[in-house]
């Protein structure tokens, strides 16, 4: 078997992504066709920058999803093939059997694993964690930031002090303190998860209650249903095999394993929690600032005169009017979260060392960087393009939301 | 103004106290102490031996007592081991056991002993901080002027080709974290197989003998990430100034375009970036940790990684105190500078 030439490698990589191209073309043609009916999302397709950004982001989202569905990866990202250590891109796999992919498209890393497949699987890790962690950070930031801005006074002073306290920590020091096997063993991340994950439930509960409390017949069943599911998910999220914390000294029973549909490995949970923890103070500050600004508007005064409750005003008058900057910041923050995840991987914190996430792969590749370039460059460029896409998307959204 | 600064200093102290306590709490959790005992004593110690080791060296005292000792408000711990060796928080090598001070904490100017480097924490931190200070100095020298120039050039004529290309450049730099740009630079400029071989891939030799060849890449890597953000802020404030009434008046009077930019717009446009530059310091601190690890430059960030990786409690505490003060101090300077630069705020 001959090694592939550069053009053949490019062609074959593009061909491996064919499912992604189909999905992208479908998404773009549908969105452009119906863009007038799609609100802010549709307006995105009027701005070239926003479209490029959206395209880059959706490319990696589809790569992540289809990669997890086994449509793109050529080899198992964790399996090592003998004789493929540090081989250059396009090297044929030694002794490839029938049905196996015959080349390492982007070469092998220092443990003879396929760089291309690892990059694709790394996308799935980012796509799973980054948006969800950002969403949680937003829930925490909004639930605390709205009352801080709206009420002001002591509550504001206290919460702002806490937020500044966390922001004064260098992020990497915080990661080194929180994301170590020793700390995972003490159960500190589990306690933090138990506290942080309450905020989305509080948020949803207050949101629905403040809107429908005048119609108890509708509100009560709605709240019971929604909060029931939310609390079940919450308990399932924080408990592993029947316990919230179980480290020999302390054992707090959680949801019994029968009702627990998924277990989150300790490594992922601690990464998730620390990323949410680092991001939420910044969101808090943004929301607080917006609430301070918007609470002086006339429609808030009108709602107050009408006799609406404070939470109704915060969640149904102030929050919808703050959505523009918040959506833009959401995009930027997903990018920042991606960078943080990469940082964690780069320092070898949290995720297991063989994990194919981009940060860990860059960290492993950099050790031999002066001799072999190919293991470190693909994940580095992947991370760069995803974050760039999110930045461009945020720029496009900002431009379009300022137009009206 | 004096009262304002005084209050800020009070908040700063309170923040530093809270943060060091959090660091203290996390580093003194039992699994961390166990790791410390095993790295300092013997990897194969049994649980009982670990407990004994910790007990003998005063690590098993209540948390608040230990924190008080570190601060210097509680008397230091001393104990004589069975083999006659005297151990304790105030023991320094070469000091006679009779002359041990009762209090030895931060308030007495004693930062403790590093368990990794076997040296005085104060000395380590000041030495490493010196290395990083040198790095930071060149980062600022490179970053601030280039960011301001890019921002001003882009903001002069909104929507022009120059604006578009410079804005794209600054977006790309903000989207490239240090560990990505560093890897790309090393690949392009230093690789021994392909590439340009212009620079060196490590900065280890730059600690004694910094040259352009071994020092430029780390500086460039840190500056690029911060630069894009400052440039975008400068551009935003420049475009805002350029649409102001007095600029239009100057134009209509017939002032030439370079004169308008240099004499009328620039000063007002540089107020906002000043605060942004100051608030960039905490981010630069992160960049320093990453770049020092990547280029193997033994500075403050490198010491942070070593201390945190080995649970070196007292070194870690000193490092967090220093970084907290850097963060809060730059915030203070940015607030004061903003008031000073902007006469409108000073009067109202």
């Amino acid at each position: 078997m001959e090694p592939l030439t550069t053009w053949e490698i490019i062609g074959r990589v593009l061909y491996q992504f064919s499912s992604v191209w189909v999905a992208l073309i479908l998404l773009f043609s549908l969105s452009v066709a119906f863009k007038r009916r799609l609100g802010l999302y549709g307006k995105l397709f009027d701005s070239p920058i926003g479209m490029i950004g959206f395209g880059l982001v959706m490319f990696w989202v589809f790569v992540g999803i289809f990669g997890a569905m086994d449509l793109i990866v050529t080899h198992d990202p964790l399996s090592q093939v003998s004789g493929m250590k540090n081989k250059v891109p396009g090297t044929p796999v030694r002794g490839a059997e029938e049905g196996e992919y015959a080349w390492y498209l982007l070469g092998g890393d220092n443990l003879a694993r396929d760089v291309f497949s690892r990059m694709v699987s790394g996308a799935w890790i980012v796509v799973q964690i980054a948006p969800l962690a950002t969403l949680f950070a937003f829930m925490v930031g909004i639930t605390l930031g709205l009352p801080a801005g709206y009420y002001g006074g002591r509550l504001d002073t206290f919460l702002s002090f806490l937020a500044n306290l966390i922001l004064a920590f260098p992020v990497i020091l915080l990661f080194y303190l929180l994301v170590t096997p020793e700390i995972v063993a003490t159960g500190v991340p589990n306690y933090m998860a138990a506290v942080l994950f309450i905020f989305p439930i509080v948020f949803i509960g207050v949101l629905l209650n403040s809107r429908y409390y005048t119609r108890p017949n509708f509100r009560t069943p709605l709240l019971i249903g929604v909060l029931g599911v939310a609390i079940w998910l919450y308990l399932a999220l924080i408990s592993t095999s029947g316990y919230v914390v179980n480290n020999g000294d302390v054992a707090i029973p959680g949801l019994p394993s029968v009702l627990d549909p998924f277990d989150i490995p300790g490594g992922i949970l601690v990464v998730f929690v620390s990323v949410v923890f680092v991001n939420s103070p910044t969101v808090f500050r943004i929301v607080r600032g917006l609430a301070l600004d918007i609470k002086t508007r006339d429609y808030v005064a009108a709602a107050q005169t009408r006799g609406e409750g404070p939470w109704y005003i915060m969640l149904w008058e102030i929050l919808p009017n703050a959505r523009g900057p918040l959506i833009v910041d959401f995009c930027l923050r997903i990018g920042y979260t991606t960078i943080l995840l990469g940082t964690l991987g780069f320092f070898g914190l949290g995720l297991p060392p063989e994990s194919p996430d981009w940060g860990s792969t860059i960290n492993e590749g950099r050790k031999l960087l002066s001799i072999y370039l190919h293991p470190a460059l693909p994940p580095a460029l992947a991370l760069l393009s995803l974050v760039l896409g999110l930045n461009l998307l945020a720029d496009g959204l900002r431009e379009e939301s300022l137009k009206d | 103004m004096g009262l304002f600064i005084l209050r800020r200093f009070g908040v700063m102290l309170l923040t530093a106290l809270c943060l060091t306590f959090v660091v203290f709490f996390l580093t003194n959790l039992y699994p961390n102490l166990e790791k410390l005992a095993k790295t300092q004593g013997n990897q194969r110690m049994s649980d009982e031996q670990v407990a004994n080791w910790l007990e003998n060296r005063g690590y098993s005292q209540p948390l608040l007592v230990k924190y008080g000792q570190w601060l210097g408000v509680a008397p230091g711990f001393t104990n004589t081991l069975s083999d006659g060796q005297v151990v304790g928080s105030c023991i320094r090598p070469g000091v006679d056991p009779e002359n041990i001070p009762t209090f030895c904490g931060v308030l007495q100017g004693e930062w403790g002993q590093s368990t990794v480097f076997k040296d005085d924490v104060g000395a380590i931190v000041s030495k490493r901080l010196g290395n990083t200070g040198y790095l930071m100095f060149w980062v600022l020298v490179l970053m601030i002027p280039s960011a301001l120039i890019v921002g001003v050039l882009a903001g002069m004529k909104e929507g022009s080709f120059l604006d578009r290309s410079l804005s794209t450049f600054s977006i790309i730099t903000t989207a490239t974290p240090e560990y990505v740009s560093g890897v790309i630079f090393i690949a392009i400029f230093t690789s021994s197989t392909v590439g340009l071989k212009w620079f060196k891939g490590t900065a280890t030799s730059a600690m004694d003998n910094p040259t352009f060849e071994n020092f430029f890449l780390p500086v460039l890597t840190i500056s690029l990430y911060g630069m894009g953000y400052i440039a975008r802020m400068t551009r935003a404030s420049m475009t805002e100034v350029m649409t102001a009434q007095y600029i239009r008046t100057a134009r209509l009077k017939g002032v030439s375009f370079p004169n308008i930019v240099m004499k009328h717009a620039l000063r007002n446009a540089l107020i906002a970036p000043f605060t942004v530059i100051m608030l960039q310091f905490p981010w630069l601190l992160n960049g320093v940790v990453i770049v020092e690890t990547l280029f193997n430059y033994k500075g403050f960030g490198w010491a942070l990684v070593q201390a945190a990786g080995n649970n070196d409690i007292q070194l870690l505490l000193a490092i967090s105190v220093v970084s907290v003060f850097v963060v809060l101090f730059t915030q203070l300077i940015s607030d004061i500078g903003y008031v000073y630069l902007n006469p409108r705020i000073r009067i109202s």
Side-chain angles (χ1 to χ4, degrees), chain B residues 181-327:
Chain B
S181 53
V183 161
I184 293 175
F185 286 145
I186 292 179
I188 295 176
F189 292 118
T190 75
S191 165
S192 55
T193 45
V194 290
L196 300 169
K197 296 181 204 146
W198 285 358
F199 301 108
K200 289 215 169 98
T202 83
T204 319
S205 53
M207 283 178 291
D208 310 315
N209 174 30
T211 58
F212 185 67
E213 194 188 19
N214 59 21
F215 205 55
F216 182 66
L217 275 192
V219 170
L220 181 69
T221 309
I222 303 180
S223 346
L224 265 189
Y225 186 51
M227 198 178 110
Y229 190 65
I230 300 178
R232 289 176 75 181
M233 288 296 147
T234 316
R235 179 190 170 272
S237 105
M238 187 73 188
T239 48
E240 202 187 315
V241 169
M242 289 304 279
T243 52
Q245 294 289 334
Y246 62 89
I247 296 291
R248 208 173 58 171
T249 315
R251 269 229 99 144
L252 293 176
K253 253 169 39 183
V255 184
S256 72
F257 190 71
N259 254 338
I260 290 180
V261 172
M262 297 303 290
K263 288 193 181 148
H264 298 253
L266 210 54
R267 209 191 137 186
N268 288 307
L270 291 185
I271 294 173
F274 172 78
T275 41
V276 175
I277 290 171
M278 281 297 149
L279 296 177
Q280 278 278 310
F281 269 86
W283 287 20
L284 287 179
L285 215 59
N286 274 332
V288 163
V289 181
I290 294 171
V291 165
E292 285 181 358
T293 312
L294 189 62
F295 288 94
N296 200 17
Y297 182 80
K298 296 194 171 73
F300 186 68
W302 180 82
L304 189 158
V305 171
Q306 294 299 319
N310 294 299
N311 200 42
D312 189 338
I313 299 175
Q314 294 190 314
L315 183 55
L316 207 52
L317 283 167
I319 286 177
S320 35
V321 170
V322 172
S323 40
V324 165
F325 270 93
V326 169
V327 171

Side-chain angles (χ1 to χ4, degrees), chain A residues 317-389:
Chain A
E317 300 282 349
I318 294 180
L319 191 60
N321 286 298
R323 70 181 184 281
L326 285 184
I327 291 172
V328 171
D329 186 69
F330 188 72
C331 289
L332 285 177
R333 203 145 291 284
I334 295 178
Y336 184 56
T337 310
T338 312
I339 292 180
L340 282 182
L341 290 175
T343 312
L344 277 171
F346 181 77
F347 285 107
L349 297 168
L351 297 163
E354 75 275 6
S355 139
D357 71 292
W358 292 337
S360 313
T361 327
I362 294 173
N363 183 33
E364 250 173 50
R366 80 181 166 92
K367 288 166 190 156
L368 288 173
L369 197 60
S370 58
I371 319 168
Y372 304 111
L373 302 179
H374 59 272
L377 278 185
L381 294 176
L383 197 142
L384 167 62
S385 59
L386 174 61
V387 179
L388 179 64

Side-chain angles (χ1 to χ4, degrees), chain A residues 169 182 186 339 342 370 384 395, chain B residues 19 31 35 176 179 192 194 232:
Chain A
F169 250 114
E182 286 80 26
T186 59
I339 292 180
S370 58
L384 167 62
D395 249 37
Chain B
L19 280 185
K35 185 168 117 187
T176 321
Y179 51 90
S192 55
V194 290
R232 289 176 75 181

Side-chain angles (χ1 to χ4, degrees), chain B residues 20-326:
Chain B
T20 46
F21 187 74
V22 171
V23 176
F24 205 82
F25 170 74
L26 286 172
T27 47
N28 273 290
L29 287 169
Y30 194 74
N32 271 334
L33 288 179
E34 195 179 333
K35 185 168 117 187
L36 181 73
K38 282 186 175 166
T39 48
Q40 290 303 307
N42 181 348
Q43 277 299 336
R44 284 188 288 279
M45 283 202 283
S46 67
D47 288 354
E48 213 168 298
Q49 281 169 315
V50 168
N52 235 331
W53 192 92
L54 294 175
E55 178 76 49
N56 282 335
R57 279 158 186 79
Y59 286 110
S60 316
Q61 301 169 81
L63 187 68
L64 280 176
V65 174
K66 282 188 283 182
Y67 187 62
Q69 286 171 354
W70 179 77
L71 273 182
V73 293
F77 176 85
T78 44
N79 186 19
T80 313
L81 296 184
S82 50
D83 58 357
Q85 193 194 349
V86 183
V87 291
S89 52
C90 295
I91 310 287
R92 300 286 175 270
V95 178
D96 203 29
E98 269 90 67
N99 303 336
I100 301 168
T102 328
F103 294 95
C104 58
V106 176
L107 293 179
Q108 283 80 29
E110 294 263 359
W111 291 89
Q113 286 288 109
S114 156
T115 49
V116 181
F117 298 107
K118 308 269 184 269
D119 198 0
D120 186 46
V121 167
I124 297 174
V125 169
S126 55
K127 184 177 165 214
R128 299 299 166 202
L129 214 52
N131 281 346
T132 297
Y134 190 73
L135 181 67
M136 286 295 263
F137 170 74
W138 285 106
V139 167
L140 294 181
V141 164
L142 178 68
M143 180 175 81
I144 295 176
S146 41
L148 293 182
I149 291 172
V150 167
V152 167
L153 285 179
M156 272 184 335
K157 277 190 187 151
E158 200 183 357
S160 66
F161 175 72
L162 189 68
D163 176 24
R164 293 261 169 218
S165 39
L166 286 179
S167 296
T168 315
F169 170 73
S170 26
I171 290 187
I172 292 176
T173 61
T174 43
T176 321
E178 291 92 349
Y179 51 90
V180 169
S181 53
V183 161
I184 293 175
F185 286 145
I186 292 179
I188 295 176
F189 292 118
T190 75
S191 165
S192 55
T193 45
V194 290
L196 300 169
K197 296 181 204 146
W198 285 358
F199 301 108
K200 289 215 169 98
T202 83
T204 319
S205 53
M207 283 178 291
D208 310 315
N209 174 30
T211 58
F212 185 67
E213 194 188 19
N214 59 21
F215 205 55
F216 182 66
L217 275 192
V219 170
L220 181 69
T221 309
I222 303 180
S223 346
L224 265 189
Y225 186 51
M227 198 178 110
Y229 190 65
I230 300 178
R232 289 176 75 181
M233 288 296 147
T234 316
R235 179 190 170 272
S237 105
M238 187 73 188
T239 48
E240 202 187 315
V241 169
M242 289 304 279
T243 52
Q245 294 289 334
Y246 62 89
I247 296 291
R248 208 173 58 171
T249 315
R251 269 229 99 144
L252 293 176
K253 253 169 39 183
V255 184
S256 72
F257 190 71
N259 254 338
I260 290 180
V261 172
M262 297 303 290
K263 288 193 181 148
H264 298 253
L266 210 54
R267 209 191 137 186
N268 288 307
L270 291 185
I271 294 173
F274 172 78
T275 41
V276 175
I277 290 171
M278 281 297 149
L279 296 177
Q280 278 278 310
F281 269 86
W283 287 20
L284 287 179
L285 215 59
N286 274 332
V288 163
V289 181
I290 294 171
V291 165
E292 285 181 358
T293 312
L294 189 62
F295 288 94
N296 200 17
Y297 182 80
K298 296 194 171 73
F300 186 68
W302 180 82
L304 189 158
V305 171
Q306 294 299 319
N310 294 299
N311 200 42
D312 189 338
I313 299 175
Q314 294 190 314
L315 183 55
L316 207 52
L317 283 167
I319 286 177
S320 35
V321 170
V322 172
S323 40
V324 165
F325 270 93
V326 169

Side-chain angles (χ1 to χ4, degrees), chain A residues 257-289:
Chain A
S257 338
V258 193
L259 296 171
D260 198 348
F262 47 84
D263 276 339
I264 299 187
I268 302 268
L269 184 75
V270 66
V271 166
F272 193 86
V273 168
S274 49
V275 170
V276 172
F277 187 69
V278 167
N279 267 325
S280 36
T282 327
V283 180
F284 164 83
R285 291 232 290 219
I286 295 169
V287 174
R288 174 180 166 272

